[in-house]
Amino acid sequence: MIDIPPASFRVTPYGEVDATTLDQVRDGFDTSRLLGLVDGLDACLADMGGVIALREELLRLHAMALTLVEGAAPTVPTEGACIWAEAESVQLDLETLAAWVRSAQACLTPLVNLVPDHEQ
């Protein structure tokens, strides 16, 4: 008689997954956390003024740096402009976004861990 071990994966509508991990996810994963990620991203982007605003801030900072570092003619109004304050503002926005990314990665890890052994 051949001893065949039970399958270590399950076939689901969304692909094969590790059977043990699926049981663990089913016991402890709160799917509403994924919706919370969407809300968190929306709030984070709203605080920054959106992705377009962040892009514009980076372009403005680049133009200011070109003037200071390479001696290019100023293309950003200089009245009341302070490069380090602009850079600090962008850095704070990016830190907020990075914190959201880290929390999103932690939330997704249980789902990533569903990969079956034969796919690794």
Side-chain angles (χ1 to χ4, degrees):
M1 178 186 270
I2 299 175
D3 186 24
I4 300 175
S8 63
F9 66 92
R10 288 200 191 126
V11 177
T12 75
Y14 299 109
E16 295 175 355
V17 299
D18 183 87
T20 303
T21 304
L22 179 59
D23 289 339
Q24 293 169 353
V25 168
R26 285 179 172 164
D27 287 340
F29 187 79
D30 180 3
T31 59
S32 68
R33 289 180 56 206
L34 294 170
L35 293 177
L37 289 178
V38 174
D39 292 340
L41 179 59
D42 288 344
C44 184
L45 292 175
D47 287 346
M48 286 193 262
V51 173
I52 293 172
L54 179 60
R55 181 181 185 281
E56 289 172 358
E57 288 175 14
L58 288 167
L59 289 171
R60 176 180 167 89
L61 194 56
H62 173 260
M64 293 169 80
L66 274 177
T67 299
L68 290 181
V69 176
E70 298 183 19
T75 58
V76 171
T78 57
E79 188 173 324
C82 179
I83 192 167
W84 63 263
E86 297 273 342
E88 185 178 53
S89 175
V90 171
Q91 186 176 48
L92 289 173
D93 285 345
L94 292 174
E95 286 174 5
T96 300
L97 187 58
W100 176 85
V101 167
R102 286 189 297 275
S103 71
Q105 288 173 318
C107 180
L108 296 177
T109 296
L111 300 177
V112 171
N113 290 340
L114 288 169
V115 64
D117 284 337
H118 64 273
E119 292 290 329
Q120 293 179 2

